[in-house]
Amino acid sequence: MGECTEDTSPQGTVPGLEKLLFLPRNLLCPPGKVPTICGTNYPLSIMFIIVNEFCERFSYYGMKAVLTLYFLNYLHWDENLSTTVYHAFSGLCYFTPIIGAPIADAWLGKFNTIFWLSILYVVGHVIKSVGAIPTVGSTEVHVALSVVGLIAIALGTGGIKPCVSAFGGDQFNEEHVQERAKFFSIFYLSINAGSLISTFVTPVLRGDVQCFGTDCYALAFGVPAALMFFALIVFVSGSGMYKKNPPQGNILGSVFKCIGFAIKNRWNHRSKAHPKREHWLDWATEKYPKKLITEVKMVTKVLFLYIPLPMFWALFDQQGSRWTLQATRMNTDFKGFVAQPDQMQILNPLLILILIPVFDLGIYPLIKLCKINFKPLPKMTVGMIIAALAFGVATVVEFKINETIPDPPKSGESFLQVMNLAGGEVTINGPGNVQFKEPALNLNDYKDPEYLKMKFEGTQTVTVSWGGDPCLVTVNDTAAYTVVVQDSGCRQIKDPFEKPSNGLAAVRFINLMNEAVYNITFGDIDISVEAEGETVYKTLKRAKVIATARIGSTEYSIDLGLLDFGGAYTAVLTGVRGTEITVVVGEDIPANSFHVAWQIPQYFLISAGEVMFSITGLEFSYSQAPASMKSVLQAGWLLTVAFGNVIVLIVAQAGSLEQWAEFILFGALLIAVAIIFSIMAYFYVPVNPDDLKDEDEKADLDEKKAVPDFFEMSPDNNFEEKKTKI
């Protein structure tokens, strides 16, 4: 630690925090002094803020990565409801900054706002984690705890979102411009590092760790909760070193009041007796200064351009919902490393870190060398088109997945599979005098019997004949059946004939022995099968399975082999050899065969679209608004993300389209929006906010322009982050 430097900023803190945390007195400077790092111009306090941001982003993205599968597998909601609630939560996280910013600006100040809302944030994580413990109450209790926890998390993360980066900028003296710029670069890296690591780790905690006999969602949510608690402790630990500027007033509220008064005043003077004014906001001149009105005009021009933007976020945020669900229907085995479906989201932060320098140092300079003036608004349009192409690729992937899924029996159609375990050939006489022959199965060289397709309406009787008495089987259309034939007779089993959901495998047992097999145990499954009986399908995670079982008081093992993603299997127990029960395993429904690596192109495109759309959009917006209105545009930008999630929520709740058709719909809508946005951009006339500056303000322009494109000044002369994961 270097020497303490003087801090002339007003101080305000949560009383007793240093005593509460038992902070060493030598960490704190005397009043009015701010410690620096190793004699540099970097305040020591920024270390606490950066670590806090890393842990907070880890907690948020880590929790969110497993959220869709939590809804699907733990709360047992369907895909549409899971998608709906996921995007309702995401949207709320981007609506709540509208609450946090005014609280910080007009009431508590940034430090206290971050402190109190972080406590709410931690409480939300804890409630969410408790709701994921199976032994805590019923399903209704789990749902209630999950909803309450998510609301608290949304209020916490959204409330502190507009405060943390600005609070970090507050720590620097005004003359330390370059140091402040480097701080924001590190701050940005901490966000992406937290996102990258947590998106890899929490799916592993969920899927590879078993607790309470199933996926450990309690641990997957508990670790982010612990990280957020640690983030709060770290943040408060620096309390004695922070500069804490007092609230500066609510500029967002002033903008709304100005707009509201202008509309009201215009309505009150709507008669022709009153002359028209050049701009509708000029009707606020009776109450508000001309400078504020001019600034609001600049802001509303940019906000008008924001109207089409939610459509981009509607596509972008489906990485955690629809794209994750798509991954559950694919093969995620990378030659020994088995990825979790929700781990594929790691590609976005990883690609962002790669693509930003590629675009900034490679693609954009090359375009400039070609004498092409690639302005910000055309960049955003191209970003939208690239994101739409990502959904085109997702559509192709969906088609390929569907090709691996067997078609279920349609109306007027029935499927019948005959497992001939008798000594000779079996004859099947179906509706319309259709006849099939099924040879006896060779258990030493077992091959799955195929389903026979029969055409009829309603209910029919099928005759199965062999050396013994004929067996009559009643079948219905739109259904699938298995008939097990033995010398002693036959029995009929109705098959679900659908792939197990969420990438799970399914297995059932048929016992050919004249003794019951008890306690066939593997994973969290414990099932018994009667002599010459069968079981229903049981689902389990993909695994190589060696089960244990009992016949009488003797224990045996059963080697089922690999039960793969999305496959449905029949295990036929044929006898006993030594300490093993001999078994033949047939694949009734093929496992997922289309590899999840084919999702990489769509992740690449959506990430490239984000670089061109999101970062460029923030840069353009900040360049078009005066310094006092930066926070207003930040709020407007976050609202476009919120409304994008609302769009997905509405479409998912409608639930009337197949997944490939939904992808096409979103892609087509974004192309249409890109065309509309390009037209709006063509007629947009750029403004120069510097024109509003007084002559004495222009003397400081050179120093302020030395700040890199990452950042701009906020309303209270604090630097705001520009290139960041929203």
Side-chain angles (χ1 to χ4, degrees):
M1 184 188 301
E3 295 184 355
C4 296
T5 58
E6 186 173 0
D7 172 22
T8 58
S9 65
Q11 299 290 311
T13 186
V14 178
L17 280 180
E18 293 82 2
K19 293 181 181 179
L20 178 67
L21 293 170
F22 305 102
L23 294 178
R25 295 184 65 86
N26 60 2
L27 278 182
L28 305 179
C29 285
K33 300 290 184 178
V34 177
T36 59
I37 301 174
C38 300
T40 66
N41 293 323
Y42 292 95
L44 183 61
S45 56
I46 64 171
M47 299 297 295
F48 296 89
I49 295 171
I50 289 170
V51 174
N52 165 268
E53 184 67 11
F54 170 83
C55 295
E56 188 274 326
R57 290 291 85 185
F58 185 109
S59 76
Y60 175 76
Y61 284 108
M63 178 276 302
K64 196 177 176 186
V66 300
L67 198 56
T68 297
L69 295 186
Y70 170 76
F71 294 150
L72 203 66
N73 300 333
Y74 186 84
L75 298 183
H76 304 296
W77 293 347
D78 62 33
E79 290 190 1
N80 287 330
L81 180 58
S82 299
T83 301
T84 297
V85 177
Y86 175 89
H87 287 283
F89 166 71
S90 297
L92 185 59
C93 289
Y94 288 94
F95 276 118
T96 48
I98 302 300
I99 300 173
I103 290 175
D105 290 344
W107 183 25
L108 294 179
K110 296 183 184 71
F111 175 84
N112 288 330
T113 300
I114 296 169
F115 174 74
W116 292 113
L117 289 181
S118 292
I119 292 177
L120 178 63
Y121 200 163
V122 172
V123 170
H125 269 302
V126 172
I127 294 172
K128 186 78 188 66
S129 302
V130 172
I133 301 175
T135 57
V136 177
S138 61
T139 301
E140 289 75 17
V141 173
H142 297 155
V143 171
L145 289 174
S146 297
V147 171
V148 171
L150 288 175
I151 292 173
I153 290 170
L155 290 171
T157 187
I160 69 175
K161 192 182 294 290
C163 302
V164 179
S165 60
F167 185 68
D170 287 351
Q171 306 311 304
F172 292 85
N173 294 331
E174 288 303 318
E175 65 271 17
H176 300 149
V177 176
Q178 296 302 323
E179 288 85 352
R180 187 173 356 217
K182 290 180 181 178
F183 158 74
F184 276 108
S185 296
I186 298 170
F187 186 88
Y188 172 64
L189 288 175
S190 72
I191 291 174
N192 284 275
S195 170
L196 185 70
I197 297 171
S198 65
T199 307
F200 178 81
V201 170
T202 53
V204 172
L205 297 176
R206 173 196 63 78
D208 293 350
V209 179
Q210 296 289 295
C211 58
F212 306 102
T214 184
D215 282 358
C216 202
Y217 287 100
L219 181 63
F221 291 139
V223 169
L227 262 291
M228 187 57 218
F229 178 72
F230 182 71
L232 175 60
I233 295 299
V234 169
F235 179 73
V236 175
S237 297
S239 176
M241 308 176 200
Y242 295 140
K243 291 182 182 179
K244 299 163 190 160
N245 295 329
Q248 299 292 318
N250 185 4
I251 186 63
L252 190 61
S254 299
V255 171
F256 282 127
K257 289 177 182 178
C258 178
I259 293 173
F261 181 81
I263 295 173
K264 179 181 177 181
N265 197 32
R266 177 67 182 91
W267 176 257
N268 292 337
H269 299 83
R270 61 187 181 275
S271 67
K272 294 183 179 180
H274 301 281
K276 292 183 178 181
R277 300 186 183 181
E278 184 178 353
H279 194 280
W280 63 273
L281 278 169
D282 291 333
W283 289 94
T285 52
E286 285 83 350
K287 186 175 181 180
Y288 293 94
K290 183 179 179 181
K291 184 175 184 292
L292 175 63
I293 295 172
T294 304
E295 291 175 341
V296 173
K297 288 178 183 179
M298 291 181 175
V299 168
T300 52
K301 283 185 65 176
V302 179
L303 291 178
F304 178 72
L305 283 176
Y306 281 0
I307 292 174
L309 303 191
M311 200 65 229
F312 174 87
W313 300 113
L315 277 69
F316 179 83
D317 274 351
Q318 290 187 55
Q319 295 174 73
S321 55
R322 293 303 201 199
W323 285 13
T324 296
L325 294 174
Q326 185 184 66
T328 65
R329 302 190 295 275
M330 304 177 77
N331 183 352
T332 60
D333 186 358
F334 288 88
K335 299 298 181 183
F337 171 72
V338 179
Q340 301 295 334
D342 35 3
Q343 272 183 316
M344 293 303 293
Q345 299 171 63
I346 196 175
L347 289 171
N348 177 247
L350 180 62
L351 287 168
I352 288 297
L353 291 176
I354 295 171
L355 289 175
I356 285 178
V358 168
F359 273 86
D360 286 347
L361 303 177
I363 295 176
Y364 291 153
L366 283 175
I367 293 174
K368 189 174 182 180
L369 284 175
C370 296
K371 308 296 184 182
I372 298 174
N373 187 9
F374 201 22
K375 295 181 179 179
L377 295 181
K379 282 184 188 177
M380 294 176 67
T381 304
V382 173
M384 291 186 200
I385 294 172
I386 292 175
L389 291 176
F391 269 63
V393 174
T395 303
V396 174
V397 170
E398 192 68 23
F399 275 125
K400 290 295 183 181
I401 293 172
N402 290 341
E403 289 176 3
T404 68
I405 301 174
D407 293 326
K410 304 179 181 67
S411 178
E413 189 176 60
S414 182
F415 294 171
L416 182 69
Q417 174 184 243
V418 177
M419 298 188 69
N420 181 7
L421 302 171
E425 189 177 67
V426 168
T427 301
I428 304 102
N429 293 300
N433 297 320
V434 176
Q435 191 176 82
F436 304 95
K437 301 287 186 180
E438 187 69 39
L441 292 172
N442 182 358
L443 296 181
N444 295 320
D445 185 21
Y446 184 82
K447 294 182 180 179
D448 301 320
E450 295 183 0
Y451 278 94
L452 310 173
K453 295 184 179 181
M454 300 178 293
K455 302 286 187 180
F456 63 88
E457 299 283 347
T459 303
Q460 293 288 339
T461 300
V462 175
T463 304
V464 181
S465 305
W466 72 104
D469 295 331
C471 177
L472 300 180
V473 177
T474 301
V475 295
N476 297 312
D477 67 341
T478 70
Y481 303 88
T482 293
V483 176
V484 181
V485 180
Q486 295 176 265
D487 289 330
S488 58
C490 75
R491 57 188 182 274
Q492 176 185 1
I493 308 168
K494 186 173 182 180
D495 299 339
F497 204 79
E498 59 183 10
K499 289 182 75 68
S501 60
N502 310 325
L504 299 175
V507 62
R508 64 180 175 182
F509 294 88
I510 295 177
N511 184 10
L512 302 185
M513 297 181 289
N514 55 11
E515 294 181 278
V517 180
Y518 299 104
N519 303 117
I520 303 173
T521 306
F522 50 98
D524 60 342
I525 295 175
D526 186 343
I527 192 171
S528 299
V529 55
E530 296 296 327
E532 297 187 350
E534 67 279 332
T535 68
V536 296
Y537 282 106
K538 292 290 184 178
T539 57
L540 69 156
K541 296 181 68 175
R542 184 245 200 200
K544 289 184 177 180
V545 176
I546 298 179
T548 59
R550 180 173 55 84
I551 298 177
S553 59
T554 307
E555 289 202 357
Y556 298 89
S557 63
I558 307 174
D559 188 353
L560 299 176
L562 178 63
L563 305 181
D564 212 347
F565 304 106
Y569 302 87
T570 295
V572 182
L573 307 179
T574 61
V576 173
R577 184 176 59 221
T579 60
E580 293 185 13
I581 295 176
T582 55
V583 60
V584 291
V585 180
E587 189 178 56
D588 303 328
I589 296 176
N592 299 346
S593 58
F594 198 65
H595 202 275
V596 76
W598 288 103
Q599 277 197 328
I600 294 176
Q602 66 200 55
Y603 273 100
F604 177 84
L605 289 171
I606 201 76
S607 301
E610 180 188 7
V611 171
M612 297 193 72
F613 175 88
S614 180
I615 293 175
T616 306
L618 284 169
E619 289 176 352
F620 170 78
S621 301
Y622 274 65
S623 72
Q624 293 298 290
S628 62
M629 294 290 155
K630 306 297 185 186
S631 62
V632 178
L633 282 182
Q634 178 73 2
W637 184 265
L638 294 176
L639 281 178
T640 66
V641 184
F643 283 115
N645 281 275
V646 171
I647 294 171
V648 184
L649 186 155
I650 294 170
V651 174
Q653 196 58 37
S656 58
L657 295 174
E658 292 189 42
Q659 190 56 70
W660 63 266
E662 188 178 291
F663 284 157
I664 289 177
L665 173 64
F666 276 110
L669 286 175
L670 187 56
I671 290 290
V673 164
I675 294 171
I676 294 171
F677 180 77
S678 65
I679 296 171
M680 295 169 65
Y682 179 79
F683 289 102
Y684 179 82
V685 179
V687 297
N688 183 8
D690 292 343
D691 293 341
L692 291 175
K693 294 182 179 289
D694 297 327
E695 291 300 324
D696 56 335
E697 291 178 310
K698 289 186 178 181
D700 298 325
L701 266 181
D702 291 339
E703 180 182 356
K704 293 179 180 179
K705 284 184 177 180
V707 183
D709 285 343
F710 276 96
F711 321 104
E712 290 287 346
M713 300 294 283
S714 70
D716 48 359
N717 290 330
N718 302 320
F719 282 76
E720 297 281 0
E721 179 186 8
K722 291 178 63 180
K723 285 190 176 179
T724 183
K725 180 176 282 291
I726 302 269

